[in-house]
Structures are given as structure tokens and as C-alpha cells.
């Protein structure tokens, strides 16, 4: 049983290998060290508060507690007050039927409420410490894998422990209990110590049983979706060696203990280490020595032959500093022996070797965990605290010192502090629940205004429909402009020739050459170049802006070697324009951050023509000016003749539709739906965050729908929400920074983006930020879906159809790049327009190709 440092290093390396197996999706099912995710993602930060009930079921003792958590204020540290009552747990209950065991737990809980005069009418959040191996799929759900520690109630293995508790509470009746969290005692110990020490990322139990947990990087936990932050992993290290990994370290005495246990071949490491077995190991060694005549003159009394006669409490007493020999003599006399001084010294020595091996093995396992944490965090040195609980650690006089010494010897580069849990695992379970409640409260506070009901979405659809009708009637001002585009025809595949497409729709300007080959639909060649429009040009004078555009066109024609060619051109101009002809567009108002002077009220085609004249380098025949949305529709119509609607979900948001202008003809209408709500019709769903974004925009009070739905503003809405949470002390530890602005965050990116912004974020922070981003972008997709439902339903009713099959051409970074936007948009449209079968077709080449097609179609009609 003597283990030297080289052997401990070997055992530590083996345990590290077992940890990797348990974390891997490929090998976890067969792993001896289960590495179970707990869904505890953070330790307390001091902001937790409230009153909680706690149940602690871990063996022969069962406790019910009331835990009051006081929030820290300023320099005053938060505190925890507890009242508890212990209820006996008979062997019959522990080894009977599971429903009877949980009925006893529930009835004890109700008794505790009566005894402590706690209201039965009020809802009480409850934390459940359950100290047996469970596979958790969330914080309040855990399937029992196996019983241990002499407990084996029938009918629960493989079932949800929390659900069994809830059903028992329902059977007992008369209580309003909400079970928020179930945790292992090891996790609860870590949380207890973490309340007082922010470096506590490891929990350790050395008592009747043994176990360890720690905060693992989520990217390494295959069984849980997500890569960002950390999660507490319950190692269940008692099973280390169940697959034979410790066979060369197992003695004949370990084999005897295992053979007579209730679970032979299982929990091998626990049987070498924990308090339930140390006394028995000492008894078996002493018994063999007595049988060999090495002790007690060969006398072997029946007591020494009886299992359980030497306990771990006896082992601790034998090793007391001053009274150890006397205690050893007293224990042996109780067993019916008359030991000599040498007998007492020898038995004491056996006890020391058995308990020393236990602390050495625990040190080796702990060294493996700390080494993994150090490597995960890419640190040369590690400062960390280990929260510890358990009767062996608490009552054995030499155990803690031996453990600390060996750990520090194995890991000299780590600064390891051991903190004894002062309140047991119940306090920690309550803190897990308090953290869960704090996070839930954050979510409710933050996300509720962004969750739209079906009734609200139906109202948005009806408001959009009314806006579409009002815009078409052209009687007085309308928030939804419904501007005619003078595009009467979609492409038919006969288009041919070379066309220049110019596209200004946001911060980028794109010049494109499009070649259509005769008679070959879908056989198109494109060449393009993208130019960034500086902010000072976007917000300078109109002449400067259009001179810049003319310069970009000149550069592109040089690039293509076509400066001398007199090319027909289409101008995609993605801002609200009133058109009186296909090649005339009077700018109504700037959007998307533009505010160049002397442009509103002017013909943008003429402004571009004049800028080209000023350069006097090339000549263009600008045949058509189109919005990016109609360009998208035309591009998709080239692929699918059923495409009669265009949608942009990108920097801005807009929709186009074909409208009947007479019995025989149709014209494409630019809805400019971004203006919906400018008349106050959306005020009921406008949040204070939206109002702040609008107030700080270049066009306050305008484009209200666009500011709820487009990529240009979503990041800014998120920034306002995060600022509000930070000012309330709920994010980033209350430290407000200036650099809170981003969009389309993925879980994998959240923390790195926050760190790049100079924000010191916890795992909780990252989760909340992601959920805020998700709520804001989901609302945007739902609102677009409600608008689209209004558009397609209007087309269906215009044509007097019971059912409409239609394709919507879509473009925009938000639709194409956001992982969930397109799915939410499509589902919302389907639900709100059930009589329409809508196919969404992403535009491959965007609005540029569409502008070229419109130019080709218009030129063909003009030439005829």
C-alpha cells in the first residue's frame, strides 16, 4: 500500500486519460470515470439573494433546510443563514421501493415547514442535493445511473430523480414547491466555498464516499451543446479503476473489500479511498497478520472476523497525535483482545499506511484535475482553491496535512488553497438555486419586451396590410410609401449582351459587368469590384458623394479595360425614391446612415450623370434606376418564374411586390415598408431600447420598422440592452464601458468578442449576451415574417384565390449569414399566411444582376 511519487505521477496520468475518455462523445458511454455535465455554469458572484428550501439526501442522514441568502452591498459581503432539521433514514427505506423513499422525503419537507412556521401557501424555490451518480440534461433533470453507499432503492435507476421528487410532493399535497436545481454534494461543496472565494473552481468530498468536480471548458464537454464558457463537471471518480486501470495497484485486501460489497467490480477507487471502507481495510490487514501469528500471539477473536467491527472513526482515533496508542489499545480491547505494546504500535502503523494511501490516491486524482485546468487555461502557474467536505477530511487528524503536502509536492508550480466547507453541501445547493434564479430573473427582465405573442404579430400583419392599402391609394401621406418602379416585365430568358450594374445600398458601392449569352438562360458571367464609401462622404455633400461614385465607376472600367465602351447601365439605388419613369428617381429621404446634402428632392440618375460629365472620361447609357429589392426579385425571377416578391433583410429592410395596375398589366411596387410605424402605429411593441436607438439615429422618428428589423440597428439595440443590464449591476460586474456595439453573435464568438471590446466577462455574461442577441434578432425575423404575410395575402386576395403558390427572392447579410433568421422568418410567414405556400429563394448574385436584367428588358422594349 505504500505509494511513491513516481507511482502517484503514473496514477495521475492514468486518471487524466480516463477524464478525456469521459468527456469524449465517442468513448463516454464505456468510460469508468463518467465526467458528468452538471449544467452549473458559474459560481456565485455575491449578487444572489432570496430564501430557499434545501433537501440533502446522500446516505443514512437526510436533512431539510431553510437557507436565506443575503445580497452583498458595497463593502458588505453577502451572507447565508441556515436552519436545518435531520430526519432519520432507515435501512428499510434506503433498500425498499423508490416511491416510498421519496414519500418520506416529501413528508419530512412538509413537517419542516410546519415546525419552522413557513407558509404553505407561498411558492418556495427548492434545491435538492442528491449525492449519487446522475446524468443531467439540465439543471433540474437528472437520470439516476446507479446507487452507491449502501443505498439501492428499487425502481429509480434510469429515471428522472427530480420528477420522482415532484411526484412525491404532489402525493403529499398542501405545498407549493418549485424544484429549481438538483446538484451532487461535491458540486454543492464547490459552490459553498465559491461564495467566499472567487478562485474556488474545484470541489472535493472525502467522507463516506469520495468524489471531485471542477469547472471544465465547455468546448471539451462533448455531451453539451456549445463551446463558450465553462461548466462544472462531476467526475464521479469513485469509478476510476472499474475498467482495470488500477489493477496493478490493487491489493488482496482491496479485492476482499470489493468482493463482499453490494456492488462488486464497481467504485474501485472509492473502495480504496473513502471512509466507508478504510476501517474495513484495516480490519482485513490486522486479521491476516493475526492469522499468521504476527499479532496477538495468533489469537483471532470472532469480533476481528466480523465485517464492520473496525470503522473509519476507529482509524482516525488510532492516529491522534498524543492519544493514538491509547485509543488503539482501547479499540482492540473492545474487540476482545489483550494487545501488547508492540501489537498496538503495529496496528496503529497499519492504520496509518491505509489512510496515508487514501490521501495519496486523492492527491494523485486532484493533481490530474489541477493539471488539466492549468493546461485548459494555458497557464504556467495556477492559483486555485479547492472546496472540501466529508467526514474523513474533517475528523481524521492527519489526513488534511498529508493531502495538502502531497498535492503541493506533485504540483510545485500551482498555488493551491484548501477551504473546508463550513456549512456542508446544503448551502451550496441553495446557492446553485440562487444563481439559477438570478439568471432566470435576468432573462425575464431583459428578454420579455422582445417576445411577441401571436396576437401582437397578427396586429403587425394587419397594420402592414393597412399601410400597403393606404400607400396605394395615394390620398395624403402614408408611412408605407408604395412607390411605383415602372418595371412592368420580368426576364424571359432571351436577354443578351453586356450591361453595367452599379449598386449603392449601404456602406459599400459595387460595380459589376454582367454578360448574358443568347438563348442560354442561367448562363451568365459576372465581374465585379466592391468599394467602401467613407463615413465623411456618406454624410458630406451630394456632389462629393456622386463624384466618388463616378470615380469608382472609372476605376472599374479601367480594371475591365472597357473605358471606351458605351455600355447600357442599371443603377441600383437602395433608398426611397419617387419614380415617374424607369430612368428617373427622386430621392424621398436618406436612410441607413446616409445624409449627404442637396440630394433629397433631386433625381439621383441626373446627379450621377452630372458627376460622370464632370470627369469627362467615359460615357454611360443609364437605362434604369432600381431599388435593391426589385433587383433581387428580378434576379430570382430569372431562375424561377413564380418569383413575384423581393425581400431585403440586410443593412436595411424592404419588400417589393408585383401589383396589378390594370386588367392586363402589372407593375413592381417598392413598398418601402421600413417606414411602417412612423405614424405611431407600432408604438405598442416599441421598447425603451428601440426608442433610444431611434433617438440617437441620423433620422429620429423615421424608418421605425427598419430600425426594428435591419442589420444596421440590431447590434445597436443589443448594445443598449447590455448597457442597461450593466448599469443595473447584472452584467460585467457593473463596470460600464464605451465599446458595447456588435451584431450577430454566435455562442462560440461571444466571449472573444467581449474580450476584444475590453469587457471582462464571466460565462454567465456570455450566455446572457447571446440570449439578448437571439431575442433581438428573433423579433426582427418575426416582424419581417408578419410583413411578408401581409404582402402575400394581399396578392392572393387581389387575384381572388383560395390558395397561392408564390416565390420570394431574398437577399441581405442578415438573411444569409444569421444562423436562425431565415428559419424564423419562414415559419412566421407560414403561420400568419396559412393560405399561401411561400418559397424563399436566396439571390445568388444579389441585386446587381437584377439591375442588369431590368436594364436588358427595358432596353429590349425601348429598342422595339
Amino acid at each position: 500500500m505504500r505509494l511513491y511519487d513516481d507511482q502517484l505521477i503514473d496514477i495521475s496520468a492514468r486518471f487524466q486519460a480516463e477524464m478525456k475518455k469521459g468527456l469524449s462523445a465517442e468513448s463516454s458511454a464505456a468510460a469508468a470515470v463518467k465526467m458528468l455535465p452538471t449544467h452549473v455554469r458559474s459560481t456565485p458572484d455575491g449578487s444572489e439573494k432570496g430564501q430557499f428550501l434545501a433537501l440533502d439526501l446522500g446516505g443514512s442522514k437526510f436533512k431539510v433546510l431553510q437557507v436565506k441568502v443575503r445580497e452583498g452591498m458595497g463593502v458588505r459581503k453577502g451572507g447565508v443563514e441556515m436552519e436545518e432539521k435531520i430526519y432519520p433514514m432507515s435501512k428499510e427505506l434506503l433498500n425498499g421501493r423508490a416511491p416510498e423513499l421519496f414519500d418520506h422525503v416529501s413528508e419530512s419537507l412538509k413537517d419542516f415547514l410546519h415546525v419552522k412556521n413557513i407558509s404553505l401557501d407561498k411558492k418556495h424555490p427548492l434545491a435538492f442535493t442528491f449525492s449519487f451518480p446522475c446524468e443531467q440534461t439540465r439543471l433540474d433533470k437528472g437520470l439516476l445511473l446507479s446507487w452507491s453507499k449502501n443505498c439501492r432503492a428499487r425502481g429509480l435507476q434510469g429515471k428522472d430523480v427530480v420528477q420522482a421528487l415532484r411526484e412525491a410532493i404532489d402525493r403529499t399535497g398542501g405545498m407549493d414547491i418549485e424544484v429549481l436545481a438538483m446538484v451532487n454534494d461535491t458540486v454543492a461543496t464547490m459552490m459553498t466555498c465559491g461564495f467566499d472565494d472567487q478562485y474556488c473552481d474545484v470541489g472535493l468530498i472525502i467522507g463516506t464516499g469520495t468524489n471531485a468536480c471542477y469547472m471544465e471548458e465547455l468546448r471539451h464537454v462533448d455531451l453539451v451543446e456549445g463551446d463558450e464558457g465553462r461548466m462544472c463537471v462531476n467526475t464521479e471518480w469513485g469509478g476510476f479503476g472499474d475498467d482495470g486501470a488500477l489493477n496493478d495497484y490493487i491489493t488482496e485486501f482491496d479485492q476482499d473489500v470489493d468482493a463482499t460489497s453490494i456492488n462488486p467490480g464497481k467504485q474501485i477507487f472509492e473502495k480504496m479511498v473513502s471512509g466507508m471502507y478504510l476501517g474495513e481495510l484495516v480490519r482485513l490487514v490486522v486479521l491476516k497478520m493475526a492469522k499468521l501469528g504476527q499479532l496477538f500471539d495468533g489469537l483471532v477473536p470472532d469480533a476481528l472476523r466480523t465485517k464492520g467491527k473496525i470503522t473509519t472513526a476507529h482509524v482516525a482515533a488510532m492516529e491522534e497525535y498524543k492519544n493514538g496508542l491509547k485509543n488503539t489499545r482501547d479499540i482492540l480491547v473492545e474487540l476482545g483482545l489483550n494487545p501488547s505494546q508492540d501489537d498496538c504500535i503495529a496496528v496503529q502503523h497499519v492504520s496509518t499506511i491505509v489512510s496515508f494511501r487514501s490521501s495519496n490516491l486523492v492527491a494523485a486524482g486532484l493533481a490530474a484535475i489541477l493539471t488539466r485546468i492549468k493546461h485548459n487555461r494555458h497557464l504556467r502557474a495556477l492559483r486555485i482553491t479547492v472546496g472540501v467536505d466529508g467526514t474523513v477530511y474533517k475528523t481524521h487528524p492527519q489526513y488534511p496535512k498529508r493531502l495538502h503536502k502531497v498535492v503541493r509536492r506533485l504540483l510545485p508550480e500551482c498555488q493551491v488553497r484548501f477551504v473546508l466547507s463550513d456549512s456542508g453541501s446544503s448551502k451550496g445547493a441553495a446557492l446553485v438555486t440562487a444563481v439559477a434564479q438570478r439568471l432566470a430573473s435576468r432573462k425575464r427582465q431583459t428578454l420579455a419586451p422582445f417576445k411577441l405573442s401571436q396576437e401582437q404579430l397578427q396586429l403587425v400583419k394587419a397594420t402592414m396590410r393597412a399601410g400597403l392599402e393606404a400607400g396605394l391609394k395615394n390620398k395624403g401621406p402614408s408611412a408605407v410609401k408604395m412607390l411605383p418602379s415602372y418595371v412592368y416585365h420580368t426576364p424571359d430568358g432571351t436577354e443578351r449582351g453586356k450591361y453595367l450594374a452599379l449598386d449603392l445600398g449601404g456602406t459599400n458601392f459595387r460595380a459589376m459587368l454582367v454578360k448574358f449569352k443568347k438563348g442560354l438562360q442561367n448562363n451568365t458571367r459576372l465581374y465585379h469590384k466592391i468599394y467602401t464609401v467613407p463615413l465623411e462622404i456618406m454624410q458630406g455633400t451630394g456632389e462629393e458623394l456622386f463624384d466618388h461614385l463616378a470615380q469608382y465607376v472609372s476605376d472599374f472600367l479601367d480594371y475591365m479595360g472597357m473605358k471606351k465602351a458605351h455600355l447600357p447601365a442599371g443603377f441600383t439605388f437602395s433608398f426611397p425614391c419617387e419614380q415617374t419613369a424607369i430612368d428617373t428617381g427622386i430621392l424621398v429621404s436618406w436612410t441607413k446612415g446616409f445624409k449627404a446634402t442637396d440630394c433629397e428632392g433631386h433625381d439621383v440618375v441626373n446627379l450621377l450623370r452630372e458627376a460622370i460629365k464632370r470627369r469627362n472620361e467615359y460615357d454611360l447609357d443609364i437605362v434604369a434606376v432600381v431599388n435593391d429589392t426589385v433587383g433581387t426579385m428580378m434576379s430570382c425571377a430569372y431562375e424561377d418564374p413564380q418569383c413575384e416578391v423581393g425581400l431585403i433583410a440586410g443593412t436595411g429592410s424592404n419588400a417589393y411586390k408585383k401589383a396589378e395596375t390594370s386588367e392586363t398589366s402589372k407593375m413592381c411596387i417598392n413598398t418601402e415598408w421600413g417606414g411602417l410605424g412612423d405614424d405611431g402605429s407600432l408604438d405598442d411593441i416599441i421598447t425603451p431600447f428601440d426608442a433610444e436607438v431611434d433617438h440617437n439615429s441620423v433620422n429620429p422618428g423615421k424608418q421605425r420598422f427598419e430600425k426594428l428589423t435591419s442589420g444596421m440597428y440590431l447590434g445597436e439595440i443589443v448594445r443598449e440592452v447590455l448597457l442597461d443590464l450593466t448599469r443595473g449591476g447584472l452584467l460585467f460586474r457593473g463596470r460600464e464601458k464605451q465599446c458595447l456595439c456588435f451584431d450577430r453573435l454566435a455562442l462560440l464568438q461571444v466571449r472573444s468578442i467581449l474580450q476584444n471590446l475590453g469587457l471582462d466577462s464571466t460565462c454567465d455574461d456570455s450566455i446572457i449576451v447571446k440570449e439578448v442577441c437571439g431575442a433581438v434578432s428573433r423579433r426582427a425575423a418575426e416582424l419581417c415574417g408578419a410583413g411578408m404575410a401581409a404582402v402575400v395575402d394581399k396578392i392572393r386576395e387581389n387575384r381572388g384565390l383560395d390558395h397561392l403558390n408564390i416565390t420570394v427572392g431574398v437577399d441581405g447579410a442578415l438573411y444569409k449569414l444569421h444562423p436562425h433568421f431565415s428559419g424564423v422568418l419562414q415559419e412566421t410567414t407560414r403561420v400568419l399566411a396559412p393560405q399561401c405556400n411561400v418559397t424563399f429563394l436566396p439571390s445568388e448574385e444579389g441585386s446587381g444582376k437584377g439591375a442588369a436584367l431590368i436594364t436588358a428588358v427595358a432596353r429590349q422594349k425601348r429598342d422595339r
Side-chain angles (χ1 to χ4, degrees):
M1 291 191 178
R2 291 182 183 274
L3 296 172
Y4 300 96
D5 282 3
D6 59 338
Q7 293 173 299
L8 295 178
I9 291 168
D10 173 52
I11 291 169
S12 184
R14 295 185 194 190
F15 186 67
Q16 284 189 64
E18 292 294 318
M19 291 169 73
K20 284 185 180 178
K21 283 185 190 175
L23 289 169
S24 168
E26 294 178 357
S27 53
S28 61
V33 179
K34 292 299 180 188
M35 303 296 287
L36 303 171
T38 65
H39 295 267
V40 172
R41 294 174 180 261
S42 68
T43 49
D45 66 4
S47 67
E48 295 76 21
K49 59 184 177 181
Q51 296 187 22
F52 307 90
L53 295 172
L55 304 178
D56 190 340
L57 178 60
S60 56
K61 288 183 179 179
F62 165 64
K63 287 192 293 188
V64 184
L65 306 93
Q66 184 183 34
V67 185
K68 298 178 182 178
V69 183
R70 185 182 69 244
E71 182 181 12
M73 298 290 287
V75 296
R76 192 195 81 182
K77 194 169 182 67
V80 178
E81 301 169 11
M82 298 198 305
E83 292 185 75
E84 68 174 54
K85 185 177 178 185
I86 296 175
Y87 291 86
M89 193 70 75
S90 67
K91 285 185 178 180
E92 288 75 21
L93 279 171
L94 292 172
N95 295 294
R97 294 176 61 250
E100 293 167 2
L101 172 65
F102 279 88
D103 283 345
H104 174 74
V105 168
S106 176
E107 288 158 9
S108 300
L109 172 61
K110 190 170 185 179
D111 175 75
F112 181 82
L113 297 178
H114 280 300
V115 170
K116 300 297 180 182
N117 292 316
I118 299 170
S119 170
L120 293 173
D121 298 324
K122 184 181 174 183
K123 182 183 282 289
H124 299 286
L126 182 138
F128 185 25
T129 304
F130 187 73
S131 306
F132 302 93
C134 288
E135 181 181 332
Q136 287 190 253
T137 53
R138 59 176 192 253
L139 196 56
D140 63 345
K141 182 176 182 179
L143 307 180
L144 177 65
L145 295 176
S146 61
W147 288 109
S148 58
K149 293 178 282 192
N150 282 340
C151 184
R152 46 181 174 182
R154 300 186 300 277
L156 189 62
Q157 195 162 327
K159 295 182 180 177
D160 182 6
V161 176
V162 174
Q163 185 59 30
L165 175 61
R166 287 173 176 150
E167 290 171 359
I169 290 171
D170 289 343
R171 287 194 295 271
T172 301
M175 298 178 285
D176 191 359
I177 304 295
E178 182 181 15
V179 185
L180 288 180
M182 182 189 80
V183 296
N184 187 279
D185 56 346
T186 322
V187 179
T189 295
M190 183 188 75
M191 295 294 279
T192 297
C193 299
F195 190 69
D196 298 312
D197 187 329
Q198 63 175 332
Y199 292 101
C200 186
D201 278 348
V202 181
L204 174 64
I205 297 287
I206 317 164
T208 307
T210 184
N211 197 10
C213 69
Y214 71 103
M215 297 302 290
E216 173 63 77
E217 305 301 311
L218 194 56
R219 65 181 183 273
H220 296 147
V221 185
D222 285 1
L223 298 179
V224 177
E225 186 178 351
D227 294 310
E228 173 56 36
R230 295 171 183 156
M231 178 178 286
C232 183
V233 168
N234 167 19
T235 67
E236 285 297 338
W237 76 3
F240 180 34
D242 290 4
D243 57 357
L246 292 175
N247 281 358
D248 47 339
Y249 290 103
I250 290 174
T251 68
E252 61 183 278
F253 310 109
D254 298 310
Q255 291 172 344
D256 287 346
V257 164
D258 179 53
T260 58
S261 68
I262 63 169
N263 54 350
K266 302 293 183 185
Q267 299 296 101
I268 296 300
F269 187 71
E270 183 169 82
K271 289 168 185 173
M272 300 169 78
V273 164
S274 75
M276 189 169 194
Y277 304 99
L278 294 185
E280 186 63 9
L281 285 167
V282 170
R283 184 188 72 83
L284 290 171
V285 175
V286 171
L287 176 61
K288 180 170 183 179
M289 292 175 72
K291 286 180 176 179
L292 294 173
Q294 297 170 352
L295 288 174
F296 319 129
D297 295 327
L299 179 65
V300 185
D302 288 343
L304 191 57
R305 297 176 186 272
T306 304
K307 182 180 177 181
K309 283 297 183 177
I310 296 180
T311 66
T312 299
H314 290 148
V315 173
M318 290 180 195
E319 294 187 65
E320 281 187 18
Y321 175 59
K322 290 185 177 179
N323 299 319
L325 273 177
K326 178 183 178 300
N327 293 339
T328 303
R329 175 177 290 279
D330 292 343
I331 291 164
L332 293 174
V333 168
E334 283 180 21
L335 293 173
L337 293 162
N338 183 23
S340 66
Q341 182 73 358
D342 286 346
D343 290 336
C344 293
I345 292 171
V347 172
Q348 185 188 47
H349 194 52
V350 169
S351 178
T352 299
I353 290 173
V354 169
S355 62
F356 216 129
R357 184 185 69 157
S358 169
S359 62
N360 278 340
L361 288 170
V362 170
L366 202 51
I369 289 172
L370 298 179
T371 299
R372 182 173 179 85
I373 292 173
K374 182 165 68 76
H375 289 163
N376 281 348
R377 300 180 189 179
H378 308 292
L379 299 172
R380 290 184 178 179
L382 177 69
R383 178 182 178 184
I384 198 162
T385 298
V386 180
V388 196
D389 201 3
T391 52
V392 173
Y393 188 89
K394 285 181 173 179
T395 62
H396 193 291
Q398 309 299 327
Y399 202 100
K401 290 180 182 178
R402 292 172 183 165
L403 174 63
H404 303 171
K405 184 177 180 180
V406 176
V407 169
R408 287 165 184 152
R409 195 169 71 234
L410 293 176
L411 294 173
E413 71 279 13
C414 294
Q415 185 181 339
V416 186
R417 179 173 180 244
F418 291 84
V419 174
L420 181 63
S421 171
D422 59 347
S423 309
S425 54
S426 305
K427 172 180 171 181
L431 286 168
V432 170
T433 306
V435 170
Q437 193 175 64
R438 168 167 58 84
L439 293 177
S441 174
R442 282 191 197 180
K443 291 177 191 176
R444 283 193 296 269
Q445 272 183 303
T446 307
L447 305 184
F450 294 97
K451 291 184 178 178
L452 300 178
S453 65
Q454 284 300 306
E455 291 75 16
Q456 288 174 305
L457 290 172
Q458 288 284 3
L459 185 59
V460 171
K461 176 188 172 185
T463 305
M464 180 66 79
R465 177 64 184 269
L468 299 174
E469 302 287 2
L472 285 172
K473 288 176 182 175
N474 204 21
K475 293 178 180 177
S478 172
V480 182
K481 299 297 182 189
M482 301 296 283
L483 303 172
S485 70
Y486 293 87
V487 173
Y488 294 98
H489 304 280
T490 52
D492 60 11
T494 63
E495 296 75 23
R496 64 185 184 276
K498 298 176 184 178
Y499 300 88
L500 194 64
L502 310 175
D503 188 344
L504 179 67
T507 54
N508 290 329
F509 174 77
R510 187 163 70 144
M512 178 188 294
L513 181 70
V514 185
K515 295 181 181 179
F516 298 108
K517 294 192 176 182
K518 182 178 179 181
L520 293 172
Q521 188 173 5
N522 302 330
N523 194 341
T524 308
R525 299 192 70 179
L526 298 98
Y527 310 87
H528 76 274
K529 228 179 156 182
I530 295 175
Y531 303 86
T532 300
V533 183
L535 182 64
E536 62 269 20
I537 299 299
M538 290 167 59
Q539 300 184 359
T541 69
E543 188 171 299
E544 289 172 333
L545 172 62
F546 281 89
D547 280 349
H548 255 75
L549 301 187
Q551 179 187 330
Y552 296 149
V553 175
S554 175
D555 176 81
F556 179 70
L557 291 173
D558 275 338
Y559 172 72
M560 294 302 300
M562 303 186 71
K563 204 92 172 258
K564 301 299 181 183
H566 182 68
L567 292 172
F571 185 20
T572 302
F573 188 76
S574 306
F575 303 91
C577 287
E578 280 190 14
Q579 290 187 251
T580 55
I582 196 168
D583 62 349
T584 304
I586 310 299
L587 178 62
V588 176
S589 60
W590 283 118
T591 58
K592 294 180 272 193
F594 278 76
K595 54 178 182 180
T597 59
D598 300 321
C599 294
E600 292 179 357
H602 295 270
D603 178 7
V604 295
V605 175
N606 197 45
L607 291 174
L608 181 57
R609 283 173 176 155
E610 288 175 357
I612 292 170
K613 279 182 184 178
R614 284 194 293 271
R615 290 195 70 85
N616 196 28
E617 292 179 357
Y618 57 90
D619 193 18
L620 292 182
D621 177 16
I622 303 177
V623 176
V625 60
V626 299
N627 187 280
D628 57 346
T629 324
V630 71
T632 295
M633 186 192 81
M634 293 292 279
S635 176
C636 292
Y638 193 63
E639 313 293 332
D640 181 349
Q642 280 198 323
C643 183
E644 299 186 72
V645 180
L647 171 66
I648 295 290
T651 308
S653 177
N654 194 17
Y656 253 89
K657 62 182 282 289
K658 274 191 178 179
E660 286 75 4
T661 56
S662 70
E663 289 184 4
T664 59
S665 64
K666 300 173 184 177
M667 181 193 289
C668 195
I669 296 293
N670 170 14
T671 67
E672 285 298 337
W673 76 5
L676 184 71
D678 291 1
D679 55 1
S681 58
L682 295 179
D683 284 0
D684 287 348
I685 65 168
I686 299 285
T687 71
F689 312 111
D690 302 312
E692 190 66 20
V693 168
D694 176 57
H695 175 74
N696 294 328
S697 69
V698 297
N699 55 349
K702 302 294 183 184
Q703 298 296 104
R704 299 306 301 273
F705 189 72
E706 180 171 86
K707 288 169 186 172
L708 300 176
T709 57
S710 77
M712 184 168 189
Y713 300 99
L714 298 192
E716 190 64 12
I717 296 170
V718 168
R719 186 182 71 84
E720 291 293 342
V721 175
L722 301 187
L723 277 172
D724 182 72
L725 288 172
T726 304
R727 288 166 185 155
L730 296 174
L731 268 180
F732 312 129
R733 302 174 180 88
R735 297 170 190 160
E736 188 176 329
K737 298 251 183 164
Q738 295 300 312
C739 47
L740 275 169
C741 186
F742 39 79
D743 185 19
R744 295 192 306 276
L745 299 182
L747 183 56
L748 182 62
Q749 300 170 307
V750 171
R751 181 170 293 184
S752 62
I753 290 175
L754 296 180
Q755 288 172 344
N756 289 339
L757 291 169
L759 294 163
D760 181 17
S761 65
T762 65
C763 181
D764 280 352
D765 292 336
S766 300
I767 293 164
I768 293 297
V769 170
K770 177 179 179 284
E771 293 192 359
V772 171
C773 293
V776 170
S777 56
R778 181 178 183 84
R779 182 189 66 166
E782 289 177 334
L783 289 172
C784 283
M788 185 52 61
V791 170
V792 296
D793 252 352
K794 176 170 174 51
I795 294 172
R796 180 184 62 81
E797 291 176 18
N798 284 351
R799 299 177 185 176
L801 299 173
D802 291 330
H803 188 85
L804 173 71
N805 291 316
I806 196 166
T807 297
V808 176
V810 199
D811 201 5
L814 193 56
Y815 185 90
K816 288 183 172 179
L817 301 181
H818 192 286
H820 310 299
F821 191 95
S822 60
V824 175
L825 166 64
Q826 292 171 29
E827 176 62 14
T828 306
T829 305
R830 185 189 65 78
V831 170
L832 296 182
Q835 292 171 271
C836 299
N837 180 26
V838 184
T839 300
F840 288 84
L841 177 63
S843 171
E844 293 301 325
E845 290 90 11
S847 55
K849 178 181 173 182
L853 282 164
I854 291 169
T855 303
V857 171
R859 200 176 189 210
Q860 281 180 345
K861 301 299 179 189
R862 188 183 68 183
D863 292 347
R864 287 173 191 169

